[in-house]
Each structure stands twice: as C-alpha cells, then as structure tokens.
Amino acid sequence: MTITRPHIDPTDSAAQPIYRLAGVAKTYQQKKRVVKPLTGVDLEIRGGDFVTIQGPTGGGKSTLLQLLGALDRPTSGRMTLGDTDLAGASNTALGAVRAREIGFVFQGFNLIPTLTASENVDMGLEPLGLDAAERRVRVADALAHVGLADRADHRPGELSGGQQQRVAIARAIAKRPRVLLADEPTGNLDESMRDEILDLLQALNDDGLTLIVVTHDSAVARRASRRLRLEKGTIRDITR
Amino acid sequence: MYLTYLRRELSGRTKQTAIVAAGLAIAIALVIIVNALTAGVRDAQTQALESVYGVGTDLTVAGAQQEPGEDGGSRFDFGEDGGATAEDGTTTLAQSQLRTDRGRTTLDAATVGTISALDGVSSATGALSLTNSTFSGELPEMPADGGTNAAGEAGSAPADDAPQGGGGFGGGSFDVDSFTVLGIDPAVQTVGPLSSVSVTDGRALDADDAGQNVAVLDATYATSNDLAVGGTVDVGGTAMEIVGLVSSSSSSTDTASNVYIPLDVAQSLAGVGDVVSTVYVQATTADGIAAVQSEIESAVPDATVSSQSDLASTVSGSLSSATSLITNLGTWLSILVLAVAVVLAVLFTMSGVSRRTREFGTLKAIGWSNGRVIRQVAGESMVQGLIGGAIGLAIGLGGILAINIIAPTISAAPAATEAGAGGGPGGGRFASTVQTATDITLSAPLTPWVLVAAVGLAVSAGLVAGAFGGWRAARLSPAEALRSVA
C-alpha cells in the first residue's frame, strides 16, 4: 500500500510545548455521586511527541483526553494549548480551537453512515469556511494519505473496520491540525488492521504531527515516544 | 455540503420522514378543504341572502314581531251578491285579497326618510311585502231538501234566508291560490330586493312607473303560471300589465318575491295607507354598519334592525347545518390534526436528535458550532414540513376538485319569508304560508391565500419541530454526548 503524506510542517511545533497543564482537576456529578477523575495533573506535551496515556478503566483517561481536546473545561488548574487558555475560554473559542487545531479519532470511528467516505472527510472541513475547490483538494489528499483514494464514494457500511478508522483519521488530518487525539483507535480492530492503523499513525507522527493516544493496548504504547500512566487522578511518566 | 447532508439524512430515514410528512400532509389538506368549504358555504349564504335582500344591502329594518294570531289571518267574506249564479243554479265565487305579511307590523313610510337622514347611511328604500290570496270556486244549486251552509269550512257567510239544518251538502269545487307581491320604490335601483336581479325579458320598473298598474314577475313564477311580458296578472283584483321578467343573479335561487309592483300602487291596492314592511339600508362604509345599526335602533325603537350577519344566522335548512358542521367540526378537526401533526413532528425530531447524540457530539468535537448543528436539524425538519405541505396541497386541491365536480346541493330557507302567523284553516280563514326553500349548489372556491397559508403552515410546523430539535441538539455538550455513547 502506498501512502502519500499530507503537508505537515514539523518545524511549526516541534520541540515547543504545545500543552501545559498545572494542577488540573476535574469533578463532575454522576447520578448524585461526585466523581473526581482528575485530582491534580501536571503535564507538558511538546510538538511532535507521540504520547500514549494508559491506566485502569474509569481512571480518568477519557476525561483527560476531553480536556486536551477542548471538549470540556477543568474544574480547577491551568491548562493551555499554545497561547489559548483552555480553562477560561468561551464555548465559541473552544469550538474554534477544535475546528482548527485538534483532530479527533474515536474508538467507534463515529462516521456518519449516510455519507460517503469523501463526504465524511469533508465534514471535518465544514467549520473552516474554505472554498469548495480547496476542500475538494484537501479531501482527496487526506483520503490518498490514508490509502483510500479509490474508496472515496463508499459509505461506511461498505468499508471494513480498518478502512472506516482510516476514513476517520483522514477526517481528522484534512484540517491539518496541530495535534491528533485518539481514544482507543485500535479498540475495535483485529490485529492486522490494528497494525495497519498504527503504521499510519506512526507515519503521521514521523511527519511532525503530535499524537496523544489513550489506549489499553500495549502494542500501541510500544510505538510511543512518551508513555504516561493515569492512576488515582494523577499522571506519571513511565517512559523507559 | 449542507444540502448533501440534509438530503442523505432524510433519505436515510425514510420511515420517519414519511410519517412526519404524512401527518402534516393530512393536516394541510384538511385546512385547505375546510377553508375552501367555509368560503363555499359563506358564498352560498350570501347567495341565499342576496336573492332576498339584494346586493349592497347592509341593514334591513322591519316592523315589530307580532304575536301569532294577532292580525286575525285571511278571511274571505261573500255577501249576497258575492257570486254569479248561472241558469243551472251553480254559483261561481271568486275573491282576491291583498294583505300585508303576517308576523310583523308595518312601518310608517316616513321611516325611510328618517333613516336616510341618519349619518353613515348611503341610501335607503322601503318595500311593502304583501301576499295575494285568491279564492275561487263553484257552488251547485242547493238541494231542495235543504243543506248545510254551503260555504262551510270555506268561510262563506250564511245568507239570512239560507235553509238551516237538515239535508246534505250538494258538493262544490274551490281553488285557493296565493303568491307573494312586493311593492317597491321603482326609482331606487341600487339597494333593495331588485338590486341583485337581472332582467330576462322586458324591462325593470323605473321611476315613471310610479302610480301605474304595471308589474315585474319572477321568471320562475311566470313560467310555472304561463305568464309572459305583455300579459296581465291579477293583483288584489286589479289587472297589472306585465312589463318584465327578472331572475336571481344566481342561477340556483329564486328572487325575493313572485310579483313586483310600484310601492304606491301596492299601498293603494292593499288599503294599508302610507306604510312599508321593510326598509333596506346601505351604509356609507362597511366599517360603519354597526354604528348605523345602533343609530337606527335609537331612531326607530319599535323596529327590528338586522345586519347581513344577523340575517345569515337566520338562514335555515341544510345550508345552516353545513355551516355549523364546517365551522365547528371542520375547523376543530383541522386544528386538532394540525396540532397532532406538529406534536408528532416535534417528537420525531427530538427523538431523532437523541438517536443521533453520537453524531452531533462528533460534529461538535470536530468543530461544528451550535448554530451550524441547529441549522442542520431545523433544515431537515423544514424540508419534512415542505414535503408534507406539498403532498397536503396536492390532496387538498384534489379534494376541492372532487367537491366542485360532485357539486353537492344544499337547501337554504332565509327567514325573510316568514311563515304566516295565525289564521289557519277554520272559520273561513286561510293562512298564506310561504316558506321559500332554495337549493344552492355548494362549491369550494380556491383562494390564493389558502395556498400561501398552507405552505406557511407547513414551513411553520417544520420550523417549530426544528426549533425544538435544534434546541435539544444545541444543549448537547460534546463531552457528555461522546461520554454517553462511549
């Protein structure tokens, strides 16, 4: 399989801290029970890092990923993405950050079943306000990059799990984000498909894209340049 | 991309789209048909009233209601020389009477002037409503052995020298005929009962006919009685020259009266003096009708003042039933079905949003704004509404077409031709009861605003559903949305 790579300039963010988290805590209420998944996270992630976050189920991994993805705000602590204060930003500002700087990949792919692969990728470009020609080029590049140029007109139901996840990755990278966040991206895939996706993610990281992956899979973690473990609401680096 | 997504979503959920569209379609079709039928019934009502009161009449002023039997009813009295006796002893009796309508008192003719002088009155004219009753028959010679009063129940007064008691009745043959006569001011054409008629033969009455023994006949009455222009009609024992025939502007209704004669002639023949039965009033403006009605009620306190809307409520027959059915059942049914359709659309849209929590959560996660998500949901709902509206429009137009092809007829009996009060057979009296029931073809006219309203309703229903669905989608926090489906 030939993979053409998108244009990602690694010098933009390499070696510079992208994320800065200090004393980040998150509390929420679930059925009259107060849950404290994060009690005090201090963390810096540099541009070009390939970071995995591991930990027990219910340990706060997904919560941390949502904070990193500007989907939610911390209850306390400081948290920035570049120059943007994610803890104090408005919903609109968080939406703009998600639209331009963050790509998401989900365990369940989260593609829209009624749309084709190219249309699903195009959905990621919708908030950018690009003209139609530019969007067409970006969609075609992204699909080619994940090796699905010939499947552009297929709907998710007509694609395998691995292919669907590649469409999801294409949707995430078409906007040329600063960071790609993935929540168990290989959780629904068999071993060969998992390796296919990991190769793809690895290649994107090699091109300079910062990757933060929440995973239970040690095969994924082995590929990472930095391995973090989240336990009892706090994080520690277990990279050797 | 907006339209592609919208189209794919609606075609991907055909069942929901079909149910919502079908609900709205039925509601819109009902609204269209009920509105058209309401307009049709209103037209029919106007038609029924115009045939009696005339186009342009805003108010009618009539004398006070009388108690039944107050005026005594018709009575034919024959004196000794009341009939002509032939050689074989058969006595021929014939008498024609012209009486004012029972049930109401008359108004002094000066009332017309009083009303004309009021503010807001454009024109007014008086008319005298009469009933011509003719009694005719033959009495054979009384048997030699005597007999009862030959006139018996027919009302002939017994002659002083008539044999009393014993014997049998020698037989006889009597005809009683009655027709309505309206004395009108021949100089006034714009308001009143003849303002809505068209002349089918001869001419209408004009100002020069005042004081002349001339008559204009209702064309239907003339045909059924073999009367024509140039001939004569006997009114109150006086031969009136027929100068014209008129028919209602509506082909399905008769005019207000059988015979029209000049007012002064009618007053003279009826021997009632300078009176009128009804004053027809045209207001200067439509807005001023209520004020004029109030003024007339003050100026002529004993009279009954009715507006066209008051009169509409007096129309009886199946037209009244149709009005009631459409106004009550039809309107409420439309509202109910529309409400159900809107609620259905709202519930389906909100349940659709719930089902698509992961989808909207994902879209927000990749940067879609709330506004963009709301536009998507509202757009989908609005298109569902438009599809329902288009189908409803087609069904509604089909329904209207079907009604106009079937063209059901309904009967209408305007209260202006009141049943005669009092009298009744007995004691030589005859009640001249005239109740004119006309059959009116019910049509369902299509007005452009109904189409606009139907499309507007469909779009509004879609927007309401979209607003609820969009509100729910906007409230979805992307983090919670993704957490809830993880």
Side-chain angles (χ1 to χ4, degrees):
Chain A
M1 182 174 64
T2 306
I3 295 178
T4 55
R5 300 184 192 284
H7 174 73
I8 297 170
D9 182 1
T11 60
D12 274 356
S13 52
Q16 300 296 319
I18 293 183
Y19 282 107
R20 284 197 175 94
L21 286 77
V24 167
K26 179 68 182 174
T27 305
Y28 60 85
Q29 202 151 358
Q30 194 173 50
K31 293 177 184 172
K32 295 182 180 176
R33 189 170 64 93
V34 177
V35 182
K36 295 179 178 175
L38 304 175
T39 52
V41 174
D42 298 305
L43 178 66
E44 274 194 5
I45 296 173
R46 296 186 175 279
D49 273 357
F50 181 170
V51 180
T52 56
I53 302 171
Q54 292 175 280
T57 302
K61 303 187 298 293
S62 292
T63 302
L64 178 59
L65 198 70
Q66 284 170 357
L67 295 181
L68 294 171
L71 292 172
D72 209 348
R73 293 186 197 84
T75 310
S76 61
R78 287 181 291 111
M79 181 173 182
T80 56
L81 170 61
D83 296 329
T84 308
D85 175 13
L86 295 181
S90 66
N91 285 339
T92 309
L94 290 181
V97 168
R98 293 197 299 271
R100 298 186 177 279
E101 305 200 47
I102 299 169
F104 274 100
V105 175
F106 305 94
Q107 179 177 356
F109 323 135
N110 292 16
L111 299 175
I112 294 169
T114 54
L115 299 180
T116 64
S118 61
E119 287 162 352
N120 265 291
V121 174
D122 200 12
M123 297 298 265
L125 299 177
E126 179 86 8
L128 298 183
L130 303 171
D131 62 50
E134 172 70 10
R135 280 167 70 161
R136 270 197 301 275
V137 169
R138 286 209 190 189
V139 169
D141 279 356
L143 281 173
H145 192 84
V146 300
L148 287 177
D150 57 339
R151 297 298 187 104
D153 295 330
H154 289 237
R155 294 190 186 190
E158 299 163 341
L159 301 171
S160 70
Q163 287 171 327
Q164 287 185 53
Q165 193 60 298
R166 281 196 273 157
V167 173
I169 292 170
R171 179 178 65 189
I173 64 173
K175 66 172 79 167
R176 295 174 186 167
R178 185 189 282 205
V179 59
L180 181 69
L181 304 178
D183 191 359
E184 300 282 7
T186 57
N188 284 357
L189 303 176
D190 62 28
E191 203 168 308
S192 68
M193 285 184 181
R194 179 196 67 187
D195 291 341
E196 205 175 273
I197 294 300
L198 287 178
D199 289 343
L200 179 57
L201 292 175
Q202 184 78 65
L204 290 169
N205 181 244
D206 291 345
D207 278 342
L209 180 63
T210 306
L211 285 181
I212 302 173
V213 180
V214 164
T215 184
H216 279 110
D217 191 342
S218 53
V220 179
R222 277 197 296 274
R223 304 244 187 168
S225 57
R226 226 178 133 195
R227 293 163 62 194
L228 305 175
R229 185 164 183 83
L230 190 61
E231 265 177 334
K232 295 179 182 174
T234 58
I235 205 155
R236 64 188 171 91
D237 199 327
I238 55 169
T239 314
R240 292 180 188 174
Chain B
M1 195 60 212
Y2 176 78
L3 291 177
T4 306
Y5 185 24
L6 194 150
R7 182 165 48 85
R8 293 287 173 76
E9 278 305 313
L10 291 181
S11 58
R13 291 180 280 113
T14 44
K15 199 173 173 184
Q16 179 187 323
T17 305
I19 291 173
V20 172
L24 285 172
I26 292 168
I28 299 300
L30 261 175
V31 168
I32 292 174
I33 292 172
V34 167
N35 270 288
L37 272 177
T38 306
V41 167
R42 204 179 301 121
D43 287 351
Q45 228 168 24
T46 307
Q47 224 176 68
L49 291 172
E50 278 180 356
S51 67
V52 178
Y53 298 101
V55 173
T57 302
D58 298 318
L59 297 161
T60 58
V61 183
Q65 191 92 32
Q66 279 184 318
E67 289 298 318
E70 201 175 312
D71 64 346
S74 293
R75 180 185 178 90
F76 291 93
D77 293 322
F78 293 93
E80 282 181 51
D81 303 323
T85 306
E87 286 181 3
D88 61 357
T90 302
T91 304
T92 303
L93 299 169
Q95 197 175 94
S96 189
Q97 283 187 352
L98 199 57
R99 293 175 58 91
T100 53
D101 277 352
R102 298 192 186 112
R104 282 195 182 277
T105 59
T106 52
L107 299 165
D108 192 293
T111 309
V112 178
T114 306
I115 292 171
S116 296
L118 294 174
D119 283 344
V121 173
S122 169
S123 61
T125 185
L128 181 61
S129 184
L130 302 167
T131 302
N132 187 95
S133 304
T134 304
F135 177 91
S136 61
E138 290 182 342
L139 283 172
E141 188 179 17
M142 200 67 64
D145 58 350
T148 58
N149 172 10
E153 289 296 296
S156 170
D160 290 342
D161 57 352
Q164 302 292 316
F169 176 48
S173 172
F174 308 101
D175 285 328
V176 179
D177 177 44
S178 78
F179 57 86
T180 53
V181 178
L182 202 57
I184 57 167
D185 184 347
V188 179
Q189 310 281 341
T190 54
V191 66
L194 284 189
S195 59
S196 64
V197 302
S198 54
V199 177
T200 55
D201 193 13
R203 63 174 177 83
L205 296 178
D206 57 34
D208 294 339
D209 290 323
Q212 304 297 311
N213 289 339
V214 290
V216 164
L217 270 55
D218 176 83
T220 310
Y221 176 75
T223 306
S224 59
N225 289 276
D226 293 329
L227 296 168
V229 173
T232 59
V233 60
D234 188 277
V235 177
T238 304
M240 312 291 285
E241 183 192 350
I242 302 168
V243 295
L245 302 180
V246 293
S247 65
S248 168
S249 51
S250 159
S251 58
S252 55
T253 54
D254 296 333
T255 60
S257 181
N258 301 133
V259 177
Y260 300 89
I261 60 176
L263 178 60
D264 53 352
V265 175
Q267 289 166 336
S268 166
L269 289 176
V272 292
D274 201 13
V275 296
V276 293
S277 310
T278 310
V279 181
Y280 299 86
V281 183
Q282 190 175 44
T284 312
T285 62
D287 297 342
I289 292 173
V292 170
Q293 183 170 8
S294 172
E295 273 192 73
I296 296 173
E297 281 166 349
S298 302
V300 195
D302 293 337
T304 303
V305 187
S306 309
S307 65
Q308 284 283 14
S309 56
D310 296 334
L311 299 173
S313 66
T314 68
V315 172
S316 61
S318 57
L319 175 58
S320 172
S321 310
T323 310
S324 168
L325 187 74
I326 289 166
T327 326
N328 298 323
L329 182 65
T331 305
W332 284 111
L333 190 66
S334 305
I335 292 171
L336 185 70
V337 173
L338 191 64
V340 169
V342 171
V343 169
L344 206 66
V346 169
L347 290 178
F348 268 111
T349 306
M350 291 183 73
S351 116
V353 169
S354 297
R355 226 178 21 251
R356 293 163 73 189
T357 298
R358 179 201 292 264
E359 184 177 318
F360 292 131
T362 304
L363 290 174
K364 287 188 176 188
I366 64 176
W368 278 41
S369 64
N370 272 338
R372 178 65 182 82
V373 173
I374 290 170
R375 276 202 302 281
Q376 190 66 39
V377 175
E380 289 171 16
S381 292
M382 210 162 78
V383 170
Q384 280 178 340
L386 281 172
I387 293 170
I391 297 170
L393 206 62
I395 296 173
L397 291 177
I400 288 175
L401 188 67
I403 290 167
N404 288 333
I405 289 172
I406 296 167
T409 54
I410 49 180
S411 70
T417 50
E418 288 173 8
R429 295 181 177 200
F430 294 87
S432 52
T433 300
V434 181
Q435 174 83 16
T436 311
T438 54
D439 283 338
I440 295 176
T441 304
L442 182 64
S443 64
L446 184 65
T447 48
W449 79 263
V450 170
L451 302 181
V452 174
V455 174
L457 275 176
V459 172
S460 304
L463 278 177
V464 169
F468 277 97
W471 169 75
R472 185 163 186 140
R475 284 189 47 176
L476 280 176
S477 144
E480 282 176 21
L482 293 171
R483 194 184 300 139
S484 70
V485 294

